[in-house]
């Protein structure tokens, strides 16, 4: 239960990074909601890796390179699901605010992330 709570905190921090960067880029650059979200997801993923590695899960016992590769693999898979749903929502509902689409897409990918990180990245072998 403690891991799930810590994962929720890490996810909340990642969510704030994602939403903050997305909002900032939409307001200050010409990137648009699709490119801005790619940048936001990448920064959020880096943030959650650091937090999850030091606070949520015990270090995996693998080298930093292997752990980083595994984390990236799970993160990219979850991000593709997240980004795909985000894009589908924005294309299907043109009046939908990008941050609202981000919230829905992120909620849908949380379980995939937790399962992947806890079972594939940070598990003891």
């Amino acid at each position: 239960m403690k891991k799930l709570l810590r994962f929720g905190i890490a996810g909340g921090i990642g969510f704030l990074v994602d939403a903050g960067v997305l909002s900032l880029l939409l307001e200050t650059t010409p990137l648009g909601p699709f490119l801005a979200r790619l940048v936001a997801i990448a920064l959020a993923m880096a943030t959650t890796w650091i937090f999850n590695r030091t606070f949520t899960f015990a270090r995996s016992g693998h080298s930093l390179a292997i752990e980083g590769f595994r984390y990236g693999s799970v993160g990219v898979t979850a991000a593709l699901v997240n980004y795909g749903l985000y894009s589908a929502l924005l294309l299907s509902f043109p009046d939908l605010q990008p941050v609202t689409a981000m919230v829905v897409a992120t909620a849908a990918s949380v379980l995939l992330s937790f399962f992947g990180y806890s079972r594939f990245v940070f598990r003891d072998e």
Side-chain angles (χ1 to χ4, degrees), residues 11-33:
I13 292 168
F15 175 82
L16 292 174
V17 170
D18 194 353
V21 170
L22 177 62
S23 296
L24 180 67
L25 292 174
L26 289 174
E27 290 178 20
T28 61
T29 71
L31 288 180

Side-chain angles (χ1 to χ4, degrees), residues 50-119:
I50 293 165
F51 194 88
N52 278 325
R53 186 171 202 274
T54 58
F55 184 66
T56 304
F57 302 104
R59 293 186 183 206
S60 66
H62 295 288
S63 71
L64 185 60
I66 291 172
E67 185 180 288
F69 175 78
R70 286 182 171 194
Y71 194 92
S73 298
V74 172
V76 167
T77 301
L80 288 171
V81 169
N82 189 319
Y83 187 78
L85 181 55
Y86 168 84
S87 298
L89 287 167
L90 289 180
L91 293 171
S92 299
F93 304 99
D95 293 334
L96 187 64
Q97 293 296 314
V99 173
T100 303
M102 187 211 81
V103 169
V104 173
T106 299
S109 66
V110 166
L111 289 177
L112 174 64
S113 296
F114 180 75
F115 178 77
Y117 294 142
S118 65
R119 301 289 183 228

Side-chain angles (χ1 to χ4, degrees), residues 4-14 51 55:
L4 189 57
L5 177 62
R6 288 180 177 177
F7 182 78
I9 293 168
I13 292 168
F51 194 88
F55 184 66

